[in-house]
Amino acid sequence: MADPDPEPVTSRAGHRLGAPETLGISTLDPAHRPPVMPAGRHVTIRVHMLDDTEELFDVSVKASGKVLFDLVCTHMNLIEGDYFGLEFQNHQKMTVWLDPIKPIIKQLRRPKHTTLRFAVKYFPPDHAQLLEELTRYLFALQIKNDISSGRLTCNDTSAALMVSHIMQSEIGDFEESQCRSHLLNNKYIPDQMPLIDKIMEFHSMNVGQTPAESDFQLLEVARRLEMYGVRLHPAKDREGSRLSLAVAHTGVLVFQGHTKINSFNWSKVRKLSFKRKRFLIKLRADGNSSYQDTLEFLMANRDCCKVFWKICVEYHAFFRLFEEPKPKPKPVLFTRGSSFRFSGRTQKQVIDFVRDSEFKKLPFERKHSRVQHNSRLSPLPSPHYQKVPKESGALGDRVDAPSQHQWKESALVSSQGTPQAPVSPAHQNNGHEDRSPPGNAETRGWSRPAHLDQLATAGALTNSPYMSTSSAHSHGLLNGQTSLEVGSHSPDVRQPSPLTSPLLNDACSIRTDDEDEVRRKRFPTDRAYFIAKELLTTERTYVKDLEVVTVSFQNIIGQEEDAPESLKKTIFSTLEPLHKFHTGFLREVEQRLALWEGRSNAHIKGDYQRIGDVMLKNLQDLKPLTTNLHKQSDILIELEKACRASRRLEGLCREFELQKVCYVPLNVFILRPLHRLVHYKHILERLCKHYPATHVDFRDCRAALADVSEVVEQLQASIVKMENFQKLLELKKDLIGVDNLVVPGREFIRFGCLSKLSGKGLQQRMFFLFNDVILYSSRGMTATNQFKIHGQLPLHGMTIRESEDEWGVPHAFTLVSQRQSVVVAASSLSEMEKWMEDIDMAVELSKNNNGPSSDVMSCTLTDSKGPSPVSENKVGPRSGQGPVPLSVICWYRVQSLSFSEARRSLENQLSGNLLRKFKNSNGWQKLWVVFTNFSLFFYKSHQDDYPLASLPLLGYSVTIPSESENIHKDYVFKLHFKSHVYYFRSESEYTFERWMEVIRSATAPYSRARVQNNKESHAH
């Protein structure tokens, strides 16, 4: 009997989503063509779309799941289709995802009688990662369906808030009779009647929002909910308690009912597997964890285990991998385990593809979903909706647009109970300029709804690190911030160290009453103000750093007869114009911040609460000085040549570095102008992410960002080369027994402390890895903290293997070169992995290029033990030590440091006032603090010429104080290393985030992305 013809559908999905009749672009086909259909008999498959319409697709019975999915995405002109999938009920009544690799006929027993559902498969942590407005609209439809079905559970306030945004996108601005009638005729949540008044109240606050903005706000509320994107899979623990398992972008989650009781991050999971109906999670060994090595959950049957295991594999690959994993080769005789693998692009590939592609996008115009035909219920059209934002043009137009990386607002509720909502990107058009008429933007504007964060998910507040323990508990919250401690591998024996200043003790410290200060000064609380204030504080430090070279060093060089005139001329002609320019720029920024803070009546006469216009004007004035920035390399080269030619000049430079004003190596000061451009870029990126597109300062900030990004891109290769050259010069001063370390083609990769196995046992040695050779050394008997070279290992032909079992030494590995073999041991597993990865990368690099000669030793040196440190690093009136080299810090704290990490520290500088407190003190001391070169430098004020003390951060851990420490203040972070404990307090949420960010960059270990960054750095 023939199947009856399907009923005609009143509204096609393509029409609802704004798609034209022509075929668009496949989400999985890189050639941008419709998928190729295999030959053979065809079958019609029904797909239920997110807008509750159904579409019929004619495919071959031999076609794979990918072909059908490509047809669906092509039908909608969906570019970011990788976030979605097709799900259906199999013959066991289990909901499963259509496998893109397998043929459809092998997955669907009765294709004609099976309806597949197009749904969101991967839920990203933030919808700002979705670059297409169409994709966000589909996500909003998914959230709407989840709320309606009861899958996305939440409290009444959150439910009412989300429904109000759905109604705003469907019927437009609030009109009481229309809104009430619409709610009575349409059911959005299971128990809607008691919430009608609250929904209408929230809807009345959404006046002026376009449908695209409403979608954005809906996703903003939904992503904060605990059940966002969660699909529960019933299970039991070993005791038989009923639980549910789920998977998210972070890892595997465990629920009891609808409450999350546990989570296992991907970084902690070693292996996921199943055996019959037992689902197994094997964790990585962690001495501080109370979990067992293997966790076991019982599911209904083996098929349930396999379904959940598959989705875990796909989630892990999509969010954690850089590219699609390659298929395993088929075994010849026996098979072991499942052949299932993730197929498709990862999230990173999707984002890169959408941003970098040059194809022409088809226009998508987001309109109201429902049109009321009843004139009594239809109010007059609002002028806000006569023009809705639409995106068009090529993705290549996004080059000058700010990056779409998001920053997370904290979920803190103000004392009035009206927290701010995050900025909607509706006017940003996914990075495009706003193409709506100027008049529309002027009349409508963008007002932040004051009710957004009333979504009242306790989890959104629980993990906020910006509240002190006491204030958190006053709201019924717990401080959920986890420790970021980097354990030290040094011996626990207490010994003097040059790495901690004695001025960081509690003696004779001057206290300030910070409460009176805050009460006396009422500064703005806007985030943009604190971003502008960061520009001011770092500019003050930068101008001081320029004066070190243009004033202090130039005075010494000018009086030296051995200094060549070319060097004097290069320093003066290059840095003096930059110093003059930045002095004027600093003056303008100070004036603008004074007006912004309201320290005069000038702010009443005009809009001074912005900084983009000042930055745009000055960055345009800086363009003629770009040639001076290109000459920074000339200063380094001229100075190196002059020092080689004159021993007296070399000694003079070393004496200058021992002066108290030179708190970092001299070459670092010379490269400061290049790093400062990178700082400007980061500051402007943060401003552009913060401002809505309609803000008066957004256009100036975006234009300034485009200007500085262009200059940074031009100088990027030069910056990398000069930083490598500067690092080689710095290491040349740290090493004894090296003749030709600084030669063309040599690149520094990593140095650090390893234990070398010899006849005397394990001996501590300092290893230096370059792109052609490895040098190892020990501390020499010198007062200048230098290292004496013991030997070298050429990388050409080198192999490396783990040797822990062979020698019985933890974290041991063997370096086998053509001349000799060396067995070394790292202080931890992570350190061993870093070294092995970098050495493998260096060996590969050495194969592909003809590097310099690997013979760098001047003579054969004997082994000798260096003295232990006898004093701490105090920068006093007659300091004869100067800055402590990073190699010495790594030696005493048993750490290692890579070139990419060193670059990150130099390009991520921060300055500002902090309040400091010691472990056993009661008061707080106000200090001017500068972060650079993996250290904190402490001043009494920003006007001081030299620091009082320094604190190297390698080996330190940064955490949030616990309740037992009785730190009853907000925005406090804690630094600790062994028995050394310091507390620091910042003035705002933003400054707290920034200090935590830069300090973590100096204390937290790098991820595996570090290796890729290294490869990119050494490709120049």
Side-chain angles (χ1 to χ4, degrees):
M1 180 176 177
D3 292 334
D5 293 332
E7 296 180 3
V9 202
T10 57
S11 175
R12 295 187 61 199
H15 287 204
R16 284 289 302 276
L17 300 179
E21 291 294 334
T22 57
L23 287 175
I25 300 162
S26 166
T27 181
L28 296 178
D29 188 1
H32 307 151
R33 298 188 181 95
V36 179
M37 190 67 62
R41 184 171 58 90
H42 282 221
V43 64
T44 300
I45 296 181
R46 188 188 303 268
V47 177
H48 188 94
M49 311 302 284
L50 281 170
D51 57 354
D52 289 332
T53 61
E54 289 187 351
E55 291 292 326
L56 301 179
F57 295 93
D58 193 44
V59 296
S60 169
V61 293
K62 298 180 181 180
S64 64
K66 176 182 181 298
V67 173
L68 174 60
F69 184 71
D70 278 6
L71 280 175
V72 176
C73 295
T74 302
H75 173 72
M76 292 186 293
N77 299 299
L78 178 60
I79 308 301
E80 297 175 296
D82 302 78
Y83 291 99
F84 302 87
L86 296 172
E87 60 180 1
F88 64 97
Q89 278 195 340
N90 60 12
H91 63 282
Q92 295 176 318
K93 301 300 181 182
M94 295 172 54
T95 302
V96 297
W97 293 101
L98 187 70
D99 193 322
I101 299 179
K102 290 183 179 181
I104 296 175
I105 198 66
K106 290 188 176 182
Q107 303 182 66
L108 306 180
R109 287 194 171 183
R110 304 176 65 191
K112 292 183 178 180
H113 303 282
T114 303
T115 300
L116 284 77
R117 300 185 66 89
F118 180 81
V120 176
K121 187 175 184 179
Y122 304 108
F123 289 82
D126 197 328
H127 52 276
Q129 296 174 347
L130 306 174
L131 304 182
E132 298 292 316
E133 189 173 307
L134 171 59
T135 312
R136 288 195 293 271
Y137 170 53
L138 294 175
F139 266 75
L141 291 178
Q142 181 68 64
I143 296 301
K144 175 185 172 183
N145 294 340
D146 289 350
I147 298 172
S148 176
S149 64
R151 176 182 283 176
L152 180 57
T153 58
C154 57
N155 55 45
D156 290 347
T157 304
S158 300
L161 186 57
M162 288 190 288
V163 172
S164 71
H165 288 305
I166 295 173
M167 292 185 61
Q168 179 71 21
S169 68
E170 290 188 349
I171 65 175
D173 281 347
F174 174 77
E175 198 276 326
E176 185 173 359
S177 59
Q178 177 195 18
C179 181
R180 186 175 298 276
S181 174
H182 187 79
L183 286 172
L184 292 174
N185 295 327
N186 299 274
K187 186 177 182 180
Y188 292 102
I189 52 179
D191 193 13
Q192 182 172 293
M193 292 303 294
L195 299 179
I196 286 183
D197 291 337
K198 184 175 288 189
I199 294 172
M200 294 176 61
E201 177 187 353
F202 284 148
H203 187 195
S204 65
M205 299 179 186
N206 296 335
V207 174
Q209 284 187 13
T210 65
E213 291 172 341
S214 298
D215 291 344
F216 184 90
Q217 297 296 344
L218 170 64
L219 295 176
E220 182 65 29
V221 177
R223 75 178 182 90
R224 298 169 183 245
L225 301 176
E226 193 168 64
M227 295 297 293
Y228 170 69
V230 170
R231 304 294 182 259
L232 298 178
H233 297 255
K236 295 181 180 180
D237 60 11
R238 289 185 174 179
E239 287 73 27
S241 302
R242 294 183 179 274
L243 303 171
S244 295
L245 299 180
V247 63
H249 68 282
T250 55
V252 181
L253 312 177
V254 182
F255 285 82
Q256 195 164 40
H258 287 86
T259 303
K260 185 172 70 175
I261 61 174
N262 212 341
S263 62
F264 303 100
N265 197 283
W266 294 125
S267 60
K268 297 180 181 179
V269 176
R270 182 166 58 91
K271 183 179 181 181
L272 293 176
S273 61
F274 64 94
K275 188 174 182 180
R276 297 184 179 89
K277 63 178 182 179
R278 292 183 298 152
F279 186 81
L280 306 175
I281 303 177
K282 294 185 179 181
L283 303 177
R284 298 186 185 276
D286 185 2
N288 299 325
S289 177
S290 59
Y291 296 127
Q292 308 172 40
D293 176 63
T294 302
L295 299 175
E296 181 179 305
F297 297 91
L298 297 177
M299 305 188 99
N301 50 53
R302 180 184 181 276
D303 291 333
C304 292
C305 282
K306 188 171 184 178
V307 168
F308 183 62
W309 175 79
K310 282 184 176 181
I311 190 62
C312 288
V313 171
E314 292 177 319
Y315 250 83
H316 176 269
F318 184 77
F319 287 107
R320 298 278 290 184
L321 300 186
F322 289 129
E323 58 185 14
E324 178 184 358
K326 297 180 181 179
K328 297 180 181 179
K330 293 185 177 180
V332 180
L333 295 177
F334 303 102
T335 60
R336 183 179 180 183
S338 175
S339 61
F340 175 79
R341 66 178 179 89
F342 171 77
S343 175
R345 293 182 301 203
T346 64
Q347 186 189 33
K348 182 181 184 303
Q349 288 178 308
V350 175
I351 294 175
D352 293 344
F353 171 75
V354 176
R355 285 178 177 163
D356 300 340
S357 297
E358 299 294 336
F359 57 80
K360 275 286 184 180
K361 289 176 51 183
L362 294 171
F364 167 69
E365 187 174 4
R366 177 73 171 92
K367 298 180 179 179
H368 294 295
S369 304
R370 297 172 185 265
V371 179
Q372 299 292 336
H373 300 286
N374 189 333
S375 58
R376 183 179 61 84
L377 298 179
S378 300
L380 293 175
S382 171
H384 307 309
Y385 299 126
Q386 293 176 2
K387 293 286 185 180
V388 296
K390 64 179 180 180
E391 58 179 35
S392 60
L395 284 178
D397 297 337
R398 300 181 182 181
V399 175
D400 61 340
S403 171
Q404 289 293 321
H405 293 297
Q406 72 286 357
W407 56 269
K408 296 183 179 179
E409 293 195 36
S410 66
L412 296 178
V413 181
S414 66
S415 56
Q416 290 82 9
T418 58
Q420 291 183 339
V423 179
S424 167
H427 300 295
Q428 298 179 16
N429 280 328
N430 303 319
H432 293 284
E433 291 186 3
D434 192 353
R435 291 179 174 80
S436 56
N440 186 37
E442 294 286 343
T443 55
R444 176 163 53 85
W446 168 248
S447 60
R448 301 184 179 200
H451 59 278
L452 176 67
D453 284 345
Q454 294 178 1
L455 51 101
T457 51
L461 291 171
T462 306
N463 292 326
S464 176
Y466 314 117
M467 304 177 66
S468 68
T469 313
S470 58
S471 60
H473 279 286
S474 67
H475 293 280
L477 305 176
L478 295 175
N479 192 334
Q481 187 73 14
T482 58
S483 171
L484 292 176
E485 179 173 353
V486 180
S488 169
H489 307 288
S490 301
D492 293 333
V493 180
R494 299 191 59 163
Q495 57 181 348
S497 169
L499 309 179
T500 307
S501 170
L503 287 185
L504 293 178
N505 58 28
D506 199 26
C508 304
S509 58
I510 303 173
R511 308 296 175 188
T512 61
D513 193 345
D514 52 286
E515 299 297 333
D516 290 342
E517 178 124 6
V518 173
R519 208 174 291 119
R520 189 166 58 251
K521 294 183 179 180
R522 297 291 183 181
F523 288 157
T525 58
D526 183 32
R527 188 180 183 93
Y529 163 76
F530 292 107
I531 299 176
K533 192 169 183 180
E534 179 185 342
L535 172 66
L536 170 64
T537 56
T538 52
E539 191 70 12
R540 284 172 173 169
T541 300
Y542 172 58
V543 172
K544 283 286 185 183
D545 289 349
L546 283 178
E547 290 173 357
V548 172
V549 182
T550 58
V551 179
S552 304
F553 184 67
Q554 193 167 326
N555 289 341
I556 294 177
I557 292 295
Q559 300 172 3
E560 180 57 40
E561 297 179 354
D562 290 346
E565 289 298 323
S566 61
L567 175 62
K568 299 177 184 178
K569 183 179 179 181
T570 303
I571 294 177
F572 182 82
S573 62
T574 303
L575 294 179
E576 191 62 36
L578 290 173
H579 177 251
K580 182 178 179 181
F581 166 82
H582 285 283
T583 302
F585 178 44
L586 174 61
R587 191 181 305 113
E588 288 190 39
V589 175
E590 287 177 332
Q591 292 172 354
R592 176 57 56 89
L593 264 293
L595 297 176
W596 199 332
E597 294 167 356
R599 282 182 268 171
S600 68
N601 293 328
H603 69 283
I604 303 176
K605 303 176 183 178
D607 181 16
Y608 294 103
Q609 294 188 349
R610 53 177 176 162
I611 198 67
D613 56 336
V614 177
M615 294 199 71
L616 178 60
K617 169 183 173 294
N618 283 274
L619 286 175
Q620 290 175 345
D621 295 340
L622 183 63
K623 281 188 174 181
L625 298 176
T626 306
T627 54
N628 296 60
L629 297 173
H630 283 281
K631 293 180 181 178
Q632 298 301 119
S633 58
D634 297 341
I635 299 179
L636 282 183
I637 295 173
E638 286 285 339
L639 183 59
E640 174 63 10
K641 288 181 179 178
C643 290
R644 286 185 178 181
S646 172
R647 287 290 184 91
R648 176 178 171 82
L649 181 61
E650 182 181 8
L652 199 66
C653 291
R654 293 209 176 198
E655 288 179 7
F656 178 78
E657 286 192 331
L658 296 178
Q659 293 186 14
K660 50 196 174 184
V661 71
C662 191
Y663 62 96
V664 293
L666 175 62
N667 292 334
V668 174
F669 286 110
I670 295 176
L671 293 181
R672 278 284 193 255
L674 298 177
H675 296 149
R676 188 57 182 161
L677 287 177
V678 181
H679 301 160
Y680 290 152
K681 181 183 176 184
H682 293 166
I683 288 173
L684 286 166
E685 284 174 346
R686 284 191 285 272
L687 282 170
C688 288
K689 292 172 189 174
H690 168 67
Y691 285 138
T694 54
H695 194 278
V696 66
D697 205 24
F698 178 80
R699 188 174 297 274
D700 289 339
C701 288
R702 187 173 61 178
L705 177 61
D707 289 343
V708 74
S709 298
E710 179 183 356
V711 178
V712 170
E713 186 176 0
Q714 294 173 0
L715 295 170
Q716 187 61 39
S718 176
I719 292 175
V720 175
K721 290 180 180 178
M722 286 303 100
E723 286 174 341
N724 179 70
F725 184 58
Q726 179 268 330
K727 203 65 187 175
L728 292 177
L729 292 176
E730 183 179 336
L731 293 177
K732 178 185 174 183
K733 299 174 184 178
D734 295 343
L735 301 177
I736 300 176
V738 175
D739 273 345
N740 55 345
L741 183 66
V742 184
V743 294
R746 176 162 290 134
E747 297 174 352
F748 163 69
I749 297 179
R750 175 177 291 277
F751 65 72
C753 204
L754 295 171
S755 297
K756 178 177 175 290
L757 186 62
S758 66
K760 300 178 181 180
L762 290 174
Q763 293 183 320
Q764 186 176 354
R765 292 289 180 263
M766 194 71 180
F767 279 70
F768 299 85
L769 172 63
F770 302 92
N771 65 332
D772 62 322
V773 68
I774 297 177
L775 303 178
Y776 56 95
S777 63
S778 66
R779 285 295 307 280
M781 298 289 293
T782 65
T784 54
N785 291 326
Q786 290 178 295
F787 290 89
K788 186 182 296 184
I789 296 296
H790 283 254
Q792 60 180 341
L793 301 172
L795 291 183
H796 185 71
M798 176 179 286
T799 59
I800 182 173
R801 67 174 187 270
E802 293 188 29
S803 308
E804 181 172 346
D805 297 333
E806 180 181 355
W807 296 98
V809 178
H811 319 307
F813 56 96
T814 303
L815 305 175
V816 182
S817 67
Q818 294 177 347
R819 300 179 185 176
Q820 66 180 116
S821 298
V822 176
V823 180
V824 294
S827 55
S828 66
L829 177 62
S830 61
E831 281 291 310
M832 183 187 73
E833 292 175 347
K834 290 179 185 179
W835 275 105
M836 293 185 68
E837 289 171 353
D838 283 348
I839 294 174
D840 281 336
M841 180 196 70
V843 171
E844 288 298 321
L845 290 174
S846 67
K847 295 178 182 178
N848 301 329
N849 56 41
N850 296 322
S853 171
S854 59
D855 189 12
V856 297
M857 294 178 60
S858 59
C859 60
T860 303
L861 297 168
T862 58
D863 194 354
S864 62
K865 294 183 179 178
S868 61
V870 295
S871 62
E872 296 178 331
N873 174 35
K874 175 178 178 179
V875 186
R878 294 185 59 84
S879 172
Q881 291 183 351
V884 179
L886 290 174
S887 56
V888 177
I889 300 173
C890 289
W891 173 267
Y892 285 108
R893 293 187 179 167
V894 198
Q895 300 286 324
S896 70
L897 194 63
S898 71
F899 176 68
S900 55
E901 290 167 336
R903 287 193 61 211
R904 179 175 58 168
S905 177
L906 290 175
E907 295 176 0
N908 198 10
Q909 185 175 322
L910 190 61
S911 309
N913 286 312
L914 288 176
L915 298 175
R916 187 195 64 197
K917 180 183 179 299
F918 298 97
K919 185 176 181 180
N920 298 318
S921 63
N922 296 321
W924 295 81
Q925 181 184 11
K926 186 177 181 180
L927 294 169
W928 177 263
V929 184
V930 174
F931 168 85
T932 186
N933 208 30
F934 292 94
S935 298
L936 294 179
F937 298 90
F938 301 94
Y939 301 74
K940 286 185 179 179
S941 73
H942 67 85
Q943 298 173 341
D944 291 355
D945 293 327
Y946 55 88
L948 299 171
S950 64
L951 178 64
L953 295 177
L954 287 174
Y956 265 77
S957 298
V958 56
T959 58
I960 306 298
S962 62
E963 182 182 9
S964 60
E965 293 171 275
N966 295 321
I967 305 296
H968 302 293
K969 302 290 183 182
D970 294 337
Y971 315 127
V972 176
F973 58 91
K974 169 186 173 183
L975 284 173
H976 57 97
F977 174 73
K978 292 187 177 180
S979 60
H980 303 282
V981 178
Y982 308 104
Y983 301 99
F984 295 91
R985 183 185 176 195
S986 56
E987 62 178 341
S988 69
E989 172 190 321
Y990 172 79
T991 52
F992 171 86
E993 292 174 347
R994 287 289 294 134
W995 280 108
M996 290 287 286
E997 178 185 350
V998 298
I999 292 177
R1000 282 171 178 164
S1001 72
T1003 58
Y1006 239 3
S1007 65
R1008 289 190 176 268
R1010 157 184 59 85
V1011 179
Q1012 185 67 24
N1013 292 336
N1014 274 341
K1015 291 181 180 179
E1016 294 172 358
S1017 299
H1018 295 289
H1020 295 282

